[in-house]
C-alpha cells in the first residue's frame, strides 16, 4: 500500500491529507474499505470525486483505487443480462457492440455523456455510485430496472435500482460496500426506444432528459418504460406516464396528455441554468420526441403520431 | 537567386506573411515557463481566507489551532502589514470621481464575497489550506444594495462611506439638440439593454511569486500580468522601492483577455510578505478564486432610444446608463474605463448629429469590474446595433441597406463622433459590403425565408462597429486616467556575434507578438527572422512601459520597432560602407547580407558586427557607432479599426436551443503583419463573444453570494459551440501611423454579441419579442415567450 502525503509537493491541487491504496483484488479492496471505518472512498475514474476532494467537500481518510483490479473492465452478456464491470469507462460503454445491440437506449444515452477526456476516465459504476440525478448512467440503470451488485467483506448483495437511488448524490450502499458491477436486462429485440436530452452545451449535464422503451402489440404500446433525469432529486421511473401510454395507440392527443401529466407530476428545481417551469416545458417537448422515436422503432406507423 | 538585386519595394516582405508563431514550439511542447513552474528554494505558499459576506464589518479574527498545523509559518490580516505598504489609489481627472484605496487585504470591512481577508503562509499550499480551516472570522453584517438600480439610489447603504455616495462616476456626452431630433423623428425605437456580468476565464489562473534578495535589498515579482511595467511603477510607490530594486517580470502568461492587466491585492500581498519574511512567497489562485476575485466585466443597464427619419436616416440618440462597477475602482484603469466608454462609443460608426448619453457608475458589493477584451464596446455595440435593427424593421427596410445609409462614408473622414472620438479613414462601408458578399447575403435571406415557410425559426443578424486602437499620448486609454498609455519603446541591439536582441515594454500573453514584431524588424532592418530574439514582459528591459492591452501592441510596439530598426540599419550600413569602401547610398541589406549595387561585394551582418565591436582599429574611433538604438513611438491620436459581423442562427422552436449556422467577419485592421495570427485573434475573440451572447453569466443572488462558482456553472463556449468563422480582410487606406497597422485583438468580442442578439431577435421577430439581455439562453427565450403567453403553445410558423 502506497501512501501519498503532501510534504514537499508544490502546485495547486489542494485536497486535505489522505492515504492512497491500490489493491489488486476486489477482496483486498473490500477489506481496505471495511478497515477505513466509513471514512474511506473508492476511486474509479475520479471525474466526480476529485473535484469534490479538491474543494474539500469530502475528506476521505483513504482513497482505494480500483483501477488496477483485473477483470473489472468488461461488458459481458450473462444470460439475459448485460453486466458492466466496475472499471468500464464511458467511452467503452458508448461504443460497445453488446450495448448497442441489446441496450440501444443505453447506447443512445451514452452519446450525451461529457467530453472525450471525461469519457476516457469516468466509469459507469462510478457514475451510478455517485447517484447524480442529472447523470445518464443512473437514469438508464433506474428506468431499465437494473441491479447493482455490491460487495463487502460480508459478501455480495444484489440491490434493485429502485432501492439504490435514495436522494441527490445519495445511494443505499453500506459504508463498507463497493459496487462490483451493474446488471441490466437486455431489451427485447422488437422493442422500440427513444432517448432525448437537452443541455446548453453538448456533453453537459442535462437540463432534462427523457427515455422510453416500448413494444408493439396489435398496434398498441406494451411494456412501456419511462425514465427521466434532471427534473427530480433522483433519477426517475414514471409509472404515471407509463399508465397513460400502456395499450394505447400513440397519437397527438396521447402525447399531449403525457406532456400535461408531466407538467402536473414533476417538481424540478430552479437553479441558475433553468427554472422549474422551463424544465417542465422541456420535459413535455422531449417526451414527445422520444416517444415518437420509440413508437416508430417498435414498428408503429408514423402517421399515427401526426393525428 | 540574387534577390537583393531587386529594388527594395519588389522584394518579398515578411510583413503580410503567414509565418508560424515562433513562440509555439516551446508552448505546444510543454516547455513554456509560467509563474507556477517556478519554485525557488525555500518558497512559501499563500492560501487566503476570503470573505463570505457581501458587506460586513470585521469584528474579530480567531486563528484557533491554525498554528498547530505543521508547516504553517505566519498568519496575517491587514493590521500586520499595513505599515509596510501603501494602498494603490486609482486616480482620475474625471470630476466627482472617488478613487477607492486598494489594499492587499480587507481593511475594517469586507465589500464582496471573495475579497481576501486573512493570509496563511506555509511551507506548502496544502498546509496553508489545512490551516485555513481553523480560522474563524466574526462579522457584523451591514446592509447592502446588490443591484445597480438600488445602489444608485440616494438612500442606498454606502459601500465606501468616505465617498459619500455609491455613484463614483458620472459623465455625460452631449451634441446638438437631441430633444428636437426626437420631435422630428418619424420612428423612435427604444430598449433596456443589459449585457450581464462576465469574467475572462484565462486558462492560466492568476499567479504571483515574489522574491526578496537580501544582498541587494531588492524585490523581483514574477506575475501573470499583461502590464508588468504598470505593476512595477505602482508597486514602486506602494513599497517605496526605486525601479533599481524592484523588477516585475511576466514570464509566459496563459491568456488575460484584459483581466490580467490590472493590479491585484494578491500581487501586492506576495511582495510585502516576501520582503517581510525574507523568503520567496507564491500565490496561485484556483478556479474558484478566479471566478470570484478576478476582475469582471460589463454589467451595464442601458436605456437607450434612437430617432430616425422616415427615409431611414439616424438623427438622434439618447441613453441613460447605470454601470455596476463592483466594490472597488480598479488600479490603474479606474471604474471609468468600462463605464464611460459605453456612452462614448454608443453612437458607433454612424453619422449622428444629436446625442445625449449619460453614465452613472455605481459601487456594489461584487468583485471589481475591469478591462475585458473589447471594453465598453461589446455593451455599447449590443445596444446600438439592436436599436439599428429595430429601426430598420420598424421602417420595413433591409438592415443592410439601413446601415449603408448611415455608416460614415469615405468622403466624410476624419469624422468626429457626437462624443468627440475622431474616426480616421477606415473601411466602414467596405466591411459591410465585404461581409454581405462573403456570406452571399441575398442567398442567405432566401434560405432564411424558405426555412421559415417550413416553420423553422431562422434569423440573420449583423453588427457594424468601430473601435479606437493604437492610442497615442493625446488620449488616455481609460478616460481621465493620468498614466501615460500612449508610448512604447523598442530597443534593438546587434551584439558582437551579429545576433539581434529586440526588447520591448509590451507584454505578449498569447497574441504572438514575439513573431509579429520580429516580422516587422526583418523588413525594416533586413535581417533574418531567426537571428532576432524578441524580449518583452520585463520591467527591466526599457525605462517605462505599460504593457499589452487595448489593441495597442502592433501599432505602438510595431511602430517603435520600425523606428529603432531604421536607426540600427543606418548604423550597420554606415559601418559597412566604410568597410566595403562603398557609398552608403549604394548599399542595402537583406537576409543579413549587405550588398552594393555598384559592385558584387557583400558582407554579412555578423562580419560587420565583428568589425565594429571586436576587431581593433578596423573602424576609426570617430566613425565607430554601437549597432544599437532605442526609440519610443507615440502615435499621438488613435486609429479606427472597423468591422461588420454577420450571423445566421436557428432556434429550436420547442427547446429554444440556439445554433449558429453561419458566421462571417469582415474587418479592416490596416496593414496585416501576419494573416494567420489575425485569423486566430478573430476566431478566438468571436468564440469569446459567442460565450457572452449565449452562455456566460456571473450571477450574484440577492444575498450577494456568487453562485456561478465553477466552470460547470459559468459556461464558456467549447469547440462544439463555435461554428466555422469566415473572415474577410479588408485592407483599405492605411492609417497615418508609422507601420500602417490598426489594432485588432479585441474586435470579435465587440461584434459577436450584437450580431447574435440580432440574429436571434430576427428568428423570433414573428413572435413579437426582442432580445435585450445577454446571454440569450433557452431559459430567457422561454421567459420572453411566456411573457407573451406563447411558450408551450403549438409552434408558431414565421411568415
Ligand atoms: C467536465 C465533466 C462533464 C461531465 N459531464 C457528464 C455528463 O454529461 N453526464 C454524466 O452522467 N456525467 C458527467 N460527468 C461525470 C462523469 O460521468 C463521472 O465520471 C461519473 O459521474 C463518476 O464516475 P467516476 O468513475 O469518475 O467516479 P469517481 O469520481 O471515481 O467516483 C465518484 C463517486 O462514486 C464512488 N465510487 C466510484 N466507483 C465506485 C465503486 N465501484 N463502488 C463504490 N463507490 C464508487 C466514489 O467513491 C465517489 O463517491 C462529467 C464530469 C466532468 C468532469
Amino acid at each position: 500500500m502506497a501512501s501519498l502525503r503532501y510534504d514537499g509537493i508544490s502546485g495547486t491541487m489542494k485536497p486535505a491529507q489522505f492515504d492512497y491504496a491500490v489493491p489488486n483484488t476486489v477482496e483486498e479492496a473490500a477489506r481496505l474499505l471495511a478497515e477505513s471505518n466509513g471514512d474511506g472512498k473508492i476511486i474509479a475514474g475520479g471525474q466526480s470525486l476529485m473535484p469534490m476532494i479538491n474543494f474539500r467537500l469530502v475528506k476521505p481518510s483513504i482513497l482505494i483505487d480500483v483501477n488496477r483490479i483485473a477483470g473489472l473492465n468488461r461488458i459481458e452478456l450473462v444470460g439475459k443480462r448485460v453486466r458492466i464491470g466496475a472499471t468500464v469507462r464511458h467511452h467503452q460503454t458508448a461504443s460497445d457492440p453488446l450495448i448497442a445491440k441489446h441496450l440501444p437506449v443505453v447506447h443512445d444515452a451514452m452519446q450525451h455523456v461529457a467530453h472525450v477526456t471525461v469519457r476516457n476516465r469516468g466509469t459507469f459504476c462510478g457514475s451510478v455510485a455517485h447517484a447524480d440525478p442529472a447523470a445518464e448512467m443512473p437514469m438508464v440503470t433506474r428506468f431499465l430496472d437494473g441491479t447493482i451488485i455490491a460487495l463487502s467483506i460480508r459478501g455480495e448483495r444484489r440491490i434493485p435500482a429502485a432501492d439504490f437511488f435514495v436522494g441527490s448524490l445519495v445511494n443505499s450502499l453500506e459504508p463498507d460496500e463497493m459496487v462490483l458491477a451493474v446488471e441490466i436486462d437486455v431489451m427485447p429485440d422488437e422493442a422500440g426506444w427513444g432517448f432525448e436530452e437537452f443541455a446548453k452545451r453538448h456533453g453537459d449535464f442535462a437540463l432534462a432528459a427523457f427515455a422510453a422503451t416500448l413494444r408493439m402489440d396489435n398496434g398498441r404500446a406494451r411494456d412501456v418504460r419511462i425514465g427521466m433525469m434532471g427534473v427530480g432529486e433522483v433519477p426517475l421511473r414514471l409509472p404515471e406516464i407509463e399508465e397513460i401510454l400502456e395499450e394505447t395507440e400513440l397519437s397527438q392527443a396521447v402525447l399531449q396528455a403525457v406532456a400535461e401529466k408531466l407538467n402536473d407530476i414533476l417538481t424540478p428545481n430552479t437553479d441558475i441554468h433553468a427554472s422549474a417551469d422551463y424544465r417542465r416545458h422541456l420535459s413535455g417537448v422531449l417526451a414527445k420526441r422520444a416517444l415518437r422515436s420509440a413508437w416508430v422503432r417498435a414498428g408503429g406507423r408514423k402517421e399515427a403520431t401526426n393525428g | 537567386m540574387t534577390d537583393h538585386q531587386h529594388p527594395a519595394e519588389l522584394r518579398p516582405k515578411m510583413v503580410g506573411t503567414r509565418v508560424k508563431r515562433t513562440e509555439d514550439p516551446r508552448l505546444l511542447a510543454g516547455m513554456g515557463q509560467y509563474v507556477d513552474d517556478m519554485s525557488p528554494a525555500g518558497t512559501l505558499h499563500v492560501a487566503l481566507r476570503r470573505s463570505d459576506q457581501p458587506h460586513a464589518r470585521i469584528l474579530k479574527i480567531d486563528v484557533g489551532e491554525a498554528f498547530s498545523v505543521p508547516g504553517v509559518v505566519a498568519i496575517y490580516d491587514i493590521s500586520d502589514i499595513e505599515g509596510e505598504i501603501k494602498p494603490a489609489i486609482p486616480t482620475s481627472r474625471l470630476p466627482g470621481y472617488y478613487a477607492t484605496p486598494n489594499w492587499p487585504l480587507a481593511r475594517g470591512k469586507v465589500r464582496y464575497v471573495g475579497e481576501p481577508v486573512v493570509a496563511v503562509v506555509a511551507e506548502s499550499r496544502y498546509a496553508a489550506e489545512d490551516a485555513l480551516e481553523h480560522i474563524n472570522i466574526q462579522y457584523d453584517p451591514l446592509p447592502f444594495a446588490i443591484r445597480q438600480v438600488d445602489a444608485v439610489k440616494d438612500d442606498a447603504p454606502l459601500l465606501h462611506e468616505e465617498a459619500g455616495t455609491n455613484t463614483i462616476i458620472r459623465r455625460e456626452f452631449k451634441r446638438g439638440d437631441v430633444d428636437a431630433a426626437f420631435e422630428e423623428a418619424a420612428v423612435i425605437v427604444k430598449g433596456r439593454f443589459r449585457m450581464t456580468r462576465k469574467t475572462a476565464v484565462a486558462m492560466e489562473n492568476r499567479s504571483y511569486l515574489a522574491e526578496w534578495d537580501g544582498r541587494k535589498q531588492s524585490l523581483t515579482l514574477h506575475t501573470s500580468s499583461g502590464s508588468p511595467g504598470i505593476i512595477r511603477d505602482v508597486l514602486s510607490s506602494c513599497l517605496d522601492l526605486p525601479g533599481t530594486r524592484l523588477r516585475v517580470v511576466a514570464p509566459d502568461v496563459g491568456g488575460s483577455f484584459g483581466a490580467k492587466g490590472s493590479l491585484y491585492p494578491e500581487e501586492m500581498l506576495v511582495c510585502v510578505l516576501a520582503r517581510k519574511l525574507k523568503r520567496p512567497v507564491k500565490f496561485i489562485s484556483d478556479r474558484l478564486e478566479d471566478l470570484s476575485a478576478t476582475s469582471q466585466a460589463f454589467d451595464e443597464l442601458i436605456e437607450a432610444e434612437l430617432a430616425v427619419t422616415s427615409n431611414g436616416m439616424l438623427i438622434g440618440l439618447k441613453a441613460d446608463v447605470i454601470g455596476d462597477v463592483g466594490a472597488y475602482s480598479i488600479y490603474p484603469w479606474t471604474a471609468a474605463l468600462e463605464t464611460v466608454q459605453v456612452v462614448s462609443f454608443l453612437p458607433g460608426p454612424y453619422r449622428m448629429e444629436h446625442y445625449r448619453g449619460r453614465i452613472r457608475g455605481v459601487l456594489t458589493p461584487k468583485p471589481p469590474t475591469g478591462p475585458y477584451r473589447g471594453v465598453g464596446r461589446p455593451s455599447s455595440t449590443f445596444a446600438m446595433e439592436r436599436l439599428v435593427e429595430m429601426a430598420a424593421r420598424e421602417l420595413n427596410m433591409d438592415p443592410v441597406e439601413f446601415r449603408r445609409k448611415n455608416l460614415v462614408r469615405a468622403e466624410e473622414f476624419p469624422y468626429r463622433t457626437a462624443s468627440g472620438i475622431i474616426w480616421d479613414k477606415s473601411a466602414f462601408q467596405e466591411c459591410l459590403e465585404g461581409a454581405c458578399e462573403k456570406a452571399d447575403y441575398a442567398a442567405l435571406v432566401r434560405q432564411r425565408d424558405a426555412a421559415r415557410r417550413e416553420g423553422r425559426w431562422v434569423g440573420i443578424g449583423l453588427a457594424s462597429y468601430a473601435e479606437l486602437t493604437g492610442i497615442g499620448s493625446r488620449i488616455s486609454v481609460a478616460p481621465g486616467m493620468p498614466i501615460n498609455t500612449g508610448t512604447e519603446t523598442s530597443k534593438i541591439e546587434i551584439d558582437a556575434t551579429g545576433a539581434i536582441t529586440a526588447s520591448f515594454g509590451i507584454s505578449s500573453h498569447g497574441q504572438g507578438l514575439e513573431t509579429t514584431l520580429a516580422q516587422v524588424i526583418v523588413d525594416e532592418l533586413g535581417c533574418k527572422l531567426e537571428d532576432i530574439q524578441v524580449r518583452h514582459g520585463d520591467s527591466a528591459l526599457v525605462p517605462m512601459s505599460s504593457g499589452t492591452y487595448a489593441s495597442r501592441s502592433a501599432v505602438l510596439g510595431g511602430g517603435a520597432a520600425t523606428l529603432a530598426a531604421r536607426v540600427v540599419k543606418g548604423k550597420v550600413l554606415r559601418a559597412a560602407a566604410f568597410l566595403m569602401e562603398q557609398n552608403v547610398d549604394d548599399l542595402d541589406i537583406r537576409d543579413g547580407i549587405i550588398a552594393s549595387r555598384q559592385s558584387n561585394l557583400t558582407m554579412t551582418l555578423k562580419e560587420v558586427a565583428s568589425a565594429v565591436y571586436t576587431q581593433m582599429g578596423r573602424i576609426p574611433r570617430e566613425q565607430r557607432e554601437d549597432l544599437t538604438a532605442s526609440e519610443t513611438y507615440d502615435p499621438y491620436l488613435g486609429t479606427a479599426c472597423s468591422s461588420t459581423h454577420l450571423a445566421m442562427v436557428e432556434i429550436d422552436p420547442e427547446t429554444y436551443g440556439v445554433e449558429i449556422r453561419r458566421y462571417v467577419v469582415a474587418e479592416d485592421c490596416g496593414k496585416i503583419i501576419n494573416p494567420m495570427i489575425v485569423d486566430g485573434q478573430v476566431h478566438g475573440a468571436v468564440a469569446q463573444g459567442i460565450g457572452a451572447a449565449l452562455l456566460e453569466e456571473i450571477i450574484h443572488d440577492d444575498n450577494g453570494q456568487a453562485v456561478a462558482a465553477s466552470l460547470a456553472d459559468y459556461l464558456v463556449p467549447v469547440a462544439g459551440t463555435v461554428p466555422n468563422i469566415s473572415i474577410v480582410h479588408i485592407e483599405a487606406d492605411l492609417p497615418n501611423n508609422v507601420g500602417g497597422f490598426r489594432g485588432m485583438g479585441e474586435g470579435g468580442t465587440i461584434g459577436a454579441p450584437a450580431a447574435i442578439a440580432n440574429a436571434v431577435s430576427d428568428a423570433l421577430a414573428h413572435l413579437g419579442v426582442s432580445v435585450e439581455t445577454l446571454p440569450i439562453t433557452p431559459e430567457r427565450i422561454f421567459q420572453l415567450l411566456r411573457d407573451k403567453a406563447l411558450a408551450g403553445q403549438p409552434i408558431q410558423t414565421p411568415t
Side-chain angles (χ1 to χ4, degrees):
Chain A
M1 174 172 139
S3 187
L4 253 194
R5 308 183 75 86
Y6 53 63
D7 301 348
I9 301 170
S10 79
T12 48
M13 296 290 275
K14 45 181 203 182
Q17 190 171 348
F18 57 83
D19 282 330
Y20 173 70
V22 196
N24 292 315
T25 62
V26 290
E27 293 75 20
E28 198 187 342
R31 181 179 57 75
L32 287 162
L33 197 54
E35 283 169 5
S36 75
N37 289 323
D39 286 338
K41 278 264 170 206
I42 301 284
I43 182 163
Q47 298 305 299
S48 297
L49 186 55
M50 285 317 299
M52 292 193 300
I53 290 182
N54 285 338
F55 277 122
R56 298 194 174 207
L57 294 173
V58 291
K59 296 178 205 168
S61 58
I62 180 168
L63 286 187
I64 302 156
D65 184 340
V66 295
N67 286 288
R68 308 232 187 112
I69 300 177
L72 295 185
N73 61 346
R74 284 202 289 265
I75 299 175
E76 302 161 301
L77 199 58
V78 182
K80 290 236 140 250
R81 322 199 92 197
V82 175
R83 182 182 168 101
I84 303 170
T87 57
V88 169
R89 315 281 170 191
H90 299 330
H91 78 85
Q92 206 179 334
T93 317
S95 57
D96 185 79
L98 278 180
I99 299 274
K101 181 165 186 311
H102 297 295
L103 293 171
V105 71
V106 175
H107 174 86
D108 282 8
M110 292 307 298
Q111 311 311 315
H112 294 267
V113 178
H115 319 277
V116 178
T117 45
V118 175
R119 288 191 193 194
N120 284 343
R121 296 289 310 165
T123 65
F124 193 99
C125 292
S127 171
V128 168
H130 190 54
D132 189 315
E136 286 82 358
M137 287 66 55
M139 176 203 188
V140 294
T141 303
R142 171 68 190 94
F143 106 100
L144 295 174
D145 275 334
T147 304
I148 288 85
I149 319 288
L151 178 82
S152 71
I153 48 170
R154 293 169 285 121
E156 267 189 37
R157 179 163 79 106
R158 298 177 68 86
I159 311 171
D163 302 333
F164 187 81
F165 301 103
V166 244
S168 178
L169 307 185
V170 186
N171 65 37
S172 64
L173 288 176
E174 295 297 328
D176 66 345
E177 281 180 319
M178 62 176 278
V179 176
L180 206 53
V182 170
E183 291 187 356
I184 302 174
D185 285 352
V186 299
M187 286 163 53
D189 282 345
E190 69 278 17
W193 76 95
F195 183 91
E196 291 288 336
E197 165 167 342
F198 186 76
K200 284 202 220 169
R201 302 175 304 187
H202 183 87
D204 281 352
F205 282 104
L207 297 185
F210 187 100
T213 62
L214 52 85
R215 199 166 58 75
M216 184 76 72
D217 186 7
N218 264 330
R220 289 176 182 270
R222 294 281 172 140
D223 298 340
V224 183
R225 283 170 192 262
I226 300 298
M228 282 206 74
M229 66 174 187
V231 289
E233 289 296 297
V234 289
L236 301 176
R237 168 106 188 247
L238 295 170
E240 302 92 326
I241 305 298
E242 294 169 0
E243 257 167 47
I244 296 177
L245 293 157
E246 198 67 41
E247 295 193 30
T248 58
E249 186 178 350
L250 201 68
S251 65
Q252 199 65 32
V254 171
L255 290 176
Q256 196 52 39
V258 167
E260 278 163 23
K261 188 76 184 177
L262 286 171
N263 204 46
D264 292 345
I265 61 173
L266 295 178
T267 51
N269 283 333
T270 290
D271 61 23
I272 63 172
H273 298 299
S275 64
D277 285 349
Y278 172 66
R279 283 195 161 96
R280 269 191 287 263
H281 160 79
L282 197 55
S283 300
V285 169
L286 299 174
K288 290 177 186 174
R289 292 180 182 182
L291 286 169
R292 284 195 194 106
S293 305
W295 180 257
V296 171
R297 282 174 171 142
R301 286 175 302 122
K302 257 193 187 150
E303 308 85 81
T305 62
N306 292 337
Chain B
M1 186 204 112
T2 49
D3 222 6
H4 52 263
Q5 300 298 334
H6 296 167
E9 320 70 74
L10 295 184
R11 288 180 195 154
K13 296 267 194 206
M14 264 287 162
V15 168
T17 309
R18 291 182 171 266
V19 177
K20 282 196 184 163
R21 303 193 341 157
T22 53
E23 42 272 85
D24 281 348
R26 78 167 186 274
L27 297 178
L28 298 180
M31 289 185 294
Q33 198 179 36
Y34 301 86
V35 174
D36 199 23
D37 294 321
M38 301 171 187
S39 272
T43 298
L44 294 172
H45 300 261
V46 176
L48 291 166
R49 184 56 171 277
R50 294 176 181 273
S51 169
D52 56 10
Q53 303 280 320
H55 189 204
R57 206 171 307 287
I58 302 168
L59 294 181
K60 189 161 170 261
I61 296 170
D62 178 7
V63 302
E65 298 294 296
F67 277 107
S68 70
V69 175
V72 171
V73 171
I75 301 173
Y76 297 124
D77 65 23
I78 188 69
S79 66
D80 300 304
I81 53 174
E82 64 190 339
E84 296 165 45
I85 188 164
K86 291 198 278 282
I89 314 278
T91 55
S92 170
R93 300 194 185 101
L94 289 184
Y97 162 77
Y98 174 75
T100 62
N102 294 301
W103 291 91
L105 294 170
R107 197 160 169 266
K109 293 207 303 186
V110 290
R111 295 185 176 89
Y112 64 93
V113 171
E115 182 169 6
V117 184
V118 180
V120 176
V121 189
E123 300 289 344
S124 76
R125 178 69 179 257
Y126 295 86
E129 296 280 345
D130 287 349
L132 275 190
E133 299 191 23
H134 294 280
I135 294 170
N136 188 19
I137 306 177
Q138 263 182 44
Y139 292 107
D140 174 20
L142 296 169
F144 60 90
I146 192 77
R147 311 281 164 224
Q148 70 245 66
V149 286
D150 299 323
V152 79
K153 290 181 186 150
D154 286 341
D155 57 351
L158 296 182
L159 213 50
H160 291 262
E161 287 84 358
E162 305 78 5
T165 173
N166 288 327
T167 308
I168 59 164
I169 302 280
R170 290 169 193 277
R171 187 93 167 84
E172 190 173 51
F173 294 95
K174 253 195 252 185
R175 181 164 85 179
D177 186 347
V178 80
D179 294 325
F182 272 80
E183 267 164 38
E184 269 170 47
V187 165
I188 294 173
V189 287
K190 56 177 111 178
R192 196 162 191 260
F193 303 100
R194 174 136 194 256
M195 179 94 130
T196 55
R197 206 165 250 259
K198 319 281 178 200
T199 187
V201 197
M203 199 171 305
E204 179 205 25
N205 291 329
R206 290 187 295 111
S207 310
Y208 311 114
L209 167 68
E211 289 171 78
W212 177 252
D213 182 336
R215 204 169 47 93
K216 295 187 187 153
Q217 294 289 297
S218 70
L219 191 82
T220 302
L221 170 69
H222 281 92
T223 166
S224 60
S225 178
S227 302
I230 290 182
I231 303 302
R232 194 270 313 262
D233 294 355
V234 60
L235 287 179
S236 167
S237 47
C238 291
L239 296 163
D240 202 13
L241 285 172
T244 44
R245 290 169 51 209
L246 175 63
R247 181 174 164 209
V248 176
V249 184
D252 285 326
V253 174
S256 159
F257 313 103
K260 288 183 187 154
S262 309
L263 175 74
Y264 281 93
E266 299 91 340
E267 221 162 9
M268 304 170 81
L269 181 70
V270 291
C271 289
V272 79
L273 294 183
R275 182 165 67 176
K276 190 180 180 71
L277 297 164
K278 312 225 171 329
R279 285 178 64 178
V281 175
K282 191 182 207 179
F283 170 76
I284 308 287
S285 63
D286 63 22
R287 188 56 70 186
L288 172 61
E289 292 178 300
D290 183 67
L291 289 171
S292 50
T294 290
S295 70
Q296 300 182 343
F298 310 134
D299 216 353
E300 292 91 11
L301 194 60
I302 305 177
E303 293 197 51
E305 281 183 70
L306 183 64
V308 188
T309 63
S310 58
N311 58 351
M313 300 307 292
L314 302 180
I315 49 173
L317 176 65
K318 283 197 277 201
D320 191 353
V321 183
I322 309 176
D324 177 341
V325 304
Y328 293 91
S329 181
I330 204 158
Y331 189 92
W333 313 106
T334 81
L337 172 76
E338 165 74 22
T339 50
V340 172
Q341 298 206 31
V342 172
V343 273
S344 64
F345 282 90
L346 195 65
Y350 302 105
R351 224 175 291 109
M352 179 83 67
E353 253 341 284
H354 308 282
Y355 176 52
R356 188 170 66 229
R358 165 168 93 128
I359 175 87
R360 283 169 295 167
V362 297
L363 295 163
T364 60
K366 297 178 192 153
T369 51
Y372 173 106
R373 201 178 198 171
V375 180
R377 292 149 305 195
S379 283
S380 67
T381 304
F382 165 49
M384 183 62 188
E385 290 302 290
R386 280 298 300 125
L387 289 172
V388 161
E389 297 227 347
M390 287 158 84
R393 182 170 299 280
E394 198 73 9
L395 285 163
N396 242 327
M397 263 176 87
D398 180 87
V400 172
E401 180 52 33
F402 187 85
R403 284 187 175 81
R404 200 175 283 134
K405 277 191 156 191
N406 288 289
L407 283 171
V408 175
R409 270 193 268 277
E411 66 276 11
E412 295 169 292
F413 292 109
Y415 180 82
R416 190 187 177 87
T417 73
S419 59
I421 296 166
I422 308 226
W423 298 133
D424 62 332
K425 192 170 175 195
S426 170
F428 289 19
Q429 294 277 355
E430 296 85 341
C431 285
L432 177 66
E433 301 309 323
C436 290
E437 194 176 301
K438 180 84 180 180
D440 195 347
Y441 179 68
L444 225 50
V445 168
R446 284 194 300 276
Q447 265 179 48
R448 176 196 64 189
D449 294 346
R452 284 180 173 177
R453 285 191 291 275
E454 295 166 17
R456 290 159 58 198
W457 295 3
V458 176
I460 300 171
L462 288 97
S464 297
Y465 65 85
E467 55 171 330
L468 201 58
T469 68
I471 301 171
S473 64
R474 174 72 183 79
I475 312 164
S476 176
V477 157
M481 182 185 72
I483 292 180
N484 169 32
T485 49
T487 57
E488 267 308 326
T489 302
S490 167
K491 195 164 82 186
I492 299 182
E493 297 175 328
I494 301 179
D495 67 18
T497 72
I500 303 158
T501 303
S503 304
F504 291 88
I506 58 97
S507 188
S508 186
H509 43 270
Q511 295 88 347
L513 287 160
E514 289 173 33
T515 310
T516 46
L517 292 174
Q519 285 179 261
V520 170
I521 294 170
V522 166
D523 282 356
E524 289 298 333
L525 184 51
C527 56
K528 290 195 219 144
L529 190 72
E530 55 270 30
D531 290 342
I532 304 175
Q533 192 198 31
V534 170
R535 300 178 65 197
H536 62 93
D538 182 341
S539 67
L541 293 173
V542 294
M544 182 273 176
S545 161
S546 57
T548 288
Y549 54 86
S551 301
R552 71 192 291 273
S553 292
V555 178
L556 276 78
T562 304
L563 299 179
R566 284 177 189 163
V567 174
V568 173
K569 180 180 177 180
K571 291 181 173 180
V572 169
L573 294 185
R574 280 196 292 279
F578 178 82
L579 295 164
M580 294 162 74
E581 299 180 337
Q582 297 285 313
N583 187 330
V584 72
D585 296 334
D586 291 331
L587 295 184
D588 199 12
I589 168 168
R590 167 159 186 81
D591 287 340
I593 298 165
I594 299 110
S596 166
R597 277 183 278 273
Q598 300 303 330
S599 80
N600 35 22
L601 277 179
T602 61
M603 253 189 116
T604 64
L605 193 54
K606 194 179 163 101
E607 288 164 348
V608 174
S610 168
V612 168
Y613 290 113
T614 58
Q615 298 174 29
M616 222 157 44
R618 278 204 66 189
I619 299 179
R621 191 171 74 165
E622 19 351 307
Q623 254 168 286
R624 190 189 158 283
E625 301 173 283
D626 279 354
L627 305 178
T628 65
S630 178
E631 290 292 324
T632 295
Y633 178 52
D634 174 0
Y636 198 57
L637 293 171
T639 179
C641 177
S642 57
S643 174
T644 291
H645 289 219
L646 187 156
M648 179 151 105
V649 304
E650 176 155 8
I651 303 173
D652 185 316
E654 295 180 317
T655 64
Y656 313 130
V658 177
E659 292 236 17
I660 302 169
R661 295 265 179 256
R662 187 99 168 85
Y663 205 98
V664 177
V665 178
E667 54 82 44
D668 167 22
C669 70
K671 192 193 286 178
I672 296 171
I673 301 174
N674 185 327
M676 186 179 71
I677 287 181
V678 171
D679 287 354
Q681 288 289 312
V682 172
H683 289 153
V686 168
Q688 200 172 340
I690 289 171
L694 297 177
L695 294 164
E696 297 180 37
E697 184 168 7
I698 288 281
I699 301 170
H700 286 85
D701 66 14
D702 291 341
N703 301 321
Q705 296 295 326
V707 287
S710 82
L711 293 182
D713 289 327
Y714 188 82
L715 303 183
V716 295
V718 294
T721 330
V722 181
N724 280 329
I725 300 162
S726 321
I727 303 171
V728 193
H729 298 294
I730 291 174
E731 219 181 86
D733 290 29
L734 294 185
N736 183 23
N737 57 30
V738 165
F741 313 130
R742 303 179 195 270
M744 55 70 51
E746 299 174 87
T749 51
I750 300 175
I756 292 168
N758 279 336
V760 170
S761 297
D762 185 42
L764 297 175
H766 65 288
L767 301 165
V769 296
S770 155
V771 175
E772 299 191 1
T773 303
L774 291 182
I776 182 70
T777 57
E779 173 73 36
R780 284 212 167 91
I781 296 177
F782 171 76
Q783 299 293 353
L784 282 174
L785 296 180
R786 188 163 69 166
D787 293 347
K788 286 255 167 192
L790 290 168
Q793 299 301 312
I795 299 171
Q796 309 275 317
T797 303
T799 42

